[in-house]
Amino acid sequence: MIAFVGSVFSPYYAWAQRRSKSVDPENHCAINLAIYSPGNKRWTMTERSAASISRNQTDFVIGPSSLRWHGDHLRVDIYERAVPFGQRVAGHFKLFPRQLFNFSTSLDDQGKHRWGPLAPSARIEVELDSPKLKWQGNAYFDSNEGDEPITIQFKDWDWSRAELSGGRTAVIYDVRQKNGVEKLLGLVFHPDGRIENFDPPPRQALPKTGWRIQRQMRNPSQASLEILETLEDTPFYARSVLSSELLGERVTSFHETLDVPRLSSWAVQFMLPWRMPRVK
């Protein structure tokens, strides 16, 4: 689940920014929820205007859905419609951070794009009425923010997150900027609040997606790297689950690849409204 203020993938936001340099990001908000359970797959990302949102220090309301801090946990209530067939997506989940972090680092040379995990390790309780799903498991919660569209600074990036022994979480950000400069982050977040830098292993090429996006992953060798499942295969973005090696451990990595030129192409911008409808 991703909550957007100024939806970074929104074609409506991109079109508004082309017309004016002063665009209110709160006029382009959305909740993206992807459900991958066999037989219950749903995907929703309806964009809403500033007239349908409100937010303060603890609450963020987007149309009928909301995110709210309740003491020791974040509660998310979802009431959306999936695309393309309009099925209901309704229910709630609760995220209980094991440790909150106040950490942020830049992803680009200019410091205009920043990322940081709020709860790199958390417990989640999911209870949905439509589709009917109920489960508990491990979760991860982070935040990205920027002062300009990502299309200005970036060419592409690969991101991955893996759970390590001892309750630790490792994140790798492998960023290629348009100016040719690469930025590589390797960080381990400890359950006691410590943050440790590490040197990620060499870059390995993964098989291209159905849309011919080149995925890459930091791993000691090509032989020990395996795609377990591709969850999202779109013209500009891929989300995958990998079996890989990291810091001497065999891990399951959650992996994402973003191809920025593909995102900004006229063909993709034309297709996006079918996937991301907008209402007031």
Side-chain angles (χ1 to χ4, degrees), residues 43-177:
W43 198 95
T44 179
M45 190 171 171
T46 300
E47 182 174 309
R48 291 181 165 86
S49 71
S52 296
I53 77 134
S54 65
R55 60 183 182 133
N56 55 37
Q57 205 167 22
T58 58
D59 295 12
F60 182 22
V61 178
I62 309 176
S65 302
S66 63
L67 295 80
R68 289 188 169 93
W69 280 108
H70 289 269
D72 64 344
H73 70 276
L74 175 71
R75 178 181 171 117
V76 180
D77 289 278
I78 297 285
Y79 298 97
E80 301 288 340
R81 290 283 179 177
V83 292
F85 302 114
Q87 308 103 308
R88 288 179 66 245
V89 179
H92 73 272
F93 57 85
K94 299 176 182 177
L95 182 138
F96 297 84
R98 295 191 173 97
Q99 173 71 46
L100 286 170
F101 284 75
N102 183 19
F103 171 84
S104 179
T105 186
S106 65
L107 298 175
D108 66 306
D109 291 344
Q110 307 299 318
K112 293 186 176 182
H113 301 268
R114 298 163 297 278
W115 159 84
L118 303 175
S121 179
R123 177 173 59 86
I124 194 168
E125 299 176 356
V126 177
E127 189 167 349
L128 298 179
D129 300 316
S130 180
K132 199 72 176 177
L133 290 172
K134 185 175 182 179
W135 55 271
Q136 298 184 22
N138 295 324
Y140 166 92
F141 182 29
D142 72 0
S143 172
N144 286 74
E145 63 180 14
D147 304 324
E148 64 182 11
I150 60 173
T151 53
I152 294 175
Q153 198 68 247
F154 299 109
K155 179 179 178 289
D156 54 51
W157 70 57
D158 293 278
W159 172 93
S160 65
R161 180 260 301 180
E163 294 180 12
L164 300 172
S165 60
R168 299 171 298 154
T169 299
V171 175
I172 299 174
Y173 241 119
D174 193 358
V175 179
R176 276 78 67 187
Q177 299 177 83

Side-chain angles (χ1 to χ4, degrees), residues 210-230:
W211 282 97
R212 311 307 294 165
I213 289 180
Q214 180 60 68
R215 294 173 285 186
Q216 301 178 97
M217 178 61 173
R218 295 281 175 163
N219 201 64
S221 71
Q222 188 78 46
S224 62
L225 184 59
E226 180 186 0
I227 298 175
L228 300 178
E229 187 176 5
T230 297

